[in-house]
Amino acid sequence: MDQIEHKFIKVQGLNLHIAEAGADAHVVVFLHGFPEIWYSWRHQMVGVATAGFRAIAPDCRGYGLSDPPAEPEKTSFQDMVDDLLAILDHLGLAKVFLVAKDFGALTAYMFAIQHQERVSGVITLGVPILPPGPIEFHKYLPEGFYISRWQEPGRAEADFGRLDAKTVVRNIYILFSRSEIPIAPENKEIMDLVSDSTPLPPWFTEEDLAAYGALYEKSGFRTALQVPYRTLRENFSTPEVIAVKVPALLIMGDKDYFLKFPGIEDYIRSGKAKDLVPNLEIIHLPEGSHFVQEQSPEEVNQLILTFLNKHV
């Protein structure tokens, strides 16, 4: 961790926080998901930097140490794509590898579709490129589906507001590390699904939780609820694309709850995702959870480095 440096750059009127490690060689940009920030890539940043790459991990606007937008409720995935382009331009980076997790995978593939000439390759963890069109998993799941609950204005705010930021992150990490989709019964909220006595996942320390808690204490959850969750409700559609032709890798934990989303496991295992990304390689980790990069950092680092070295 000592080799990771921090700075702020101003893009699109916001001061965005950037964590960096490694020499000015081939560049790898890490895009976090929720409830994460740059810190979720700590193991991978050190791993690729030690292997001779330059690692860059921004906090998305409104996350961690980055400024929130003036109107968080108007933030979109396109803003995240535009921020990424502005970061690359600010740093003078002509072409990079993208490594993304969770909703960061949507940003990465949108960027690769719009700016394919700036991308050397894409690695996503837990989420493949999704078929064009609206994302409507909620139509096939009960009312207590966590995304449906968090899309409802005010409901997550009230649920999270009963707890401090550190406890909210703790509960979400515990829920998302399980292999079942978080679904609350009618008379409970999502935070009620975790008791005070439930232990953290063994690979996630109290020190890690404290780091997340401090950063979400600063940023709050206002932008995070908008992107990804509420943006998905507001007529968001994954873009039309003939093919993303850059090299790509999907690292999929077989115990990731996202596999239980309607149609996702068949979409991945049948190879349909390769219709949109013909140069896609898919690697399954049998014990992998939603947080596979933190759960099994050495294994994931080796998969990432093998891909990077193959395509530099």
Side-chain angles (χ1 to χ4, degrees):
M1 291 283 284
D2 290 344
Q3 65 196 97
I4 298 177
E5 300 178 348
H6 300 267
K7 66 181 180 184
F8 291 85
I9 62 174
K10 190 149 193 170
V11 298
Q12 302 207 102
L14 299 175
N15 286 312
L16 299 186
H17 168 250
I18 304 290
E20 285 190 281
D24 216 350
H26 297 287
V27 179
V28 186
V29 178
F30 293 91
L31 304 175
H32 66 76
F34 178 81
E36 295 155 299
I37 28 86
W38 76 266
Y39 185 84
S40 65
W41 296 113
R42 60 200 179 280
H43 304 300
Q44 286 67 48
M45 293 185 70
V46 172
V48 302
T50 302
F53 294 86
R54 179 182 176 189
I56 297 173
D59 284 339
C60 291
R61 58 169 58 202
Y63 280 79
L65 296 174
S66 290
D67 283 350
E71 297 180 280
E73 290 76 16
K74 293 184 178 179
T75 304
S76 67
F77 276 104
Q78 189 59 50
D79 289 322
M80 302 300 185
V81 172
D82 294 343
D83 285 347
L84 177 55
L85 179 63
I87 290 169
L88 300 192
D89 288 345
H90 182 95
L91 297 175
L93 303 174
K95 204 166 189 178
V96 300
F97 288 96
L98 299 177
V99 181
K101 179 189 172 291
D102 191 70
F103 82 79
L106 294 177
T107 302
Y109 272 117
M110 285 178 67
F111 187 88
I113 290 165
Q114 295 176 26
H115 307 286
Q116 200 151 208
E117 75 284 354
R118 305 293 293 270
V119 180
S120 299
V122 177
I123 301 173
T124 63
L125 282 65
V127 176
I129 191 170
L130 296 176
I135 295 176
E136 299 179 324
F137 297 118
H138 65 281
K139 289 186 175 181
Y140 309 99
L141 291 166
E143 174 275 334
F145 175 43
Y146 76 98
I147 290 179
S148 297
R149 290 288 184 87
W150 290 350
Q151 287 177 335
E152 185 180 330
R155 187 156 190 170
E157 288 86 342
D159 189 15
F160 293 2
R162 299 177 293 156
L163 308 167
D164 60 31
K166 179 179 174 181
T167 304
V168 173
V169 174
R170 169 191 174 272
N171 289 356
I172 295 172
Y173 251 81
I174 290 169
L175 285 172
F176 284 10
S177 66
R178 296 171 177 169
S179 58
E180 297 298 325
I181 300 172
I183 296 174
E186 189 174 339
N187 61 343
K188 287 190 175 183
E189 299 299 327
I190 298 299
M191 290 294 101
D192 297 327
L193 298 178
V194 181
S195 71
D196 294 341
S197 61
T198 306
L200 288 168
W203 39 264
F204 194 70
T205 69
E206 288 291 341
E207 182 181 7
D208 295 331
L209 178 59
Y212 278 98
L215 290 168
Y216 272 98
E217 193 69 46
K218 175 196 173 295
S219 67
F221 297 94
R222 192 173 167 191
T223 307
L225 287 168
Q226 176 63 20
V227 175
Y229 300 106
R230 291 172 183 169
T231 299
L232 296 179
R233 180 195 62 197
E234 295 165 1
N235 299 316
F236 173 82
S237 290
T238 50
E240 293 288 342
V241 56
I242 298 173
V244 177
K245 295 180 181 178
V246 299
L249 171 66
L250 169 64
I251 300 172
M252 193 74 222
D254 283 345
K255 294 187 177 179
D256 188 330
Y257 74 91
F258 185 61
L259 278 177
K260 301 286 179 65
F261 276 44
I264 288 296
E265 184 162 17
D266 176 67
Y267 176 69
I268 292 172
R269 292 194 184 278
S270 69
K272 291 176 186 173
K274 295 183 181 182
D275 293 345
L276 299 174
V277 189
N279 297 318
L280 175 66
E281 179 183 5
I282 301 173
I283 295 177
H284 291 268
L285 301 183
E287 298 301 315
S289 71
H290 189 64
F291 300 104
V292 68
Q293 87 281 17
E294 294 181 273
Q295 175 191 10
S296 304
E298 292 183 4
E299 187 174 10
V300 169
N301 286 3
Q302 189 54 58
L303 292 173
I304 290 172
L305 286 170
T306 298
F307 178 88
L308 296 176
N309 287 319
K310 182 178 178 181
H311 297 292
V312 290

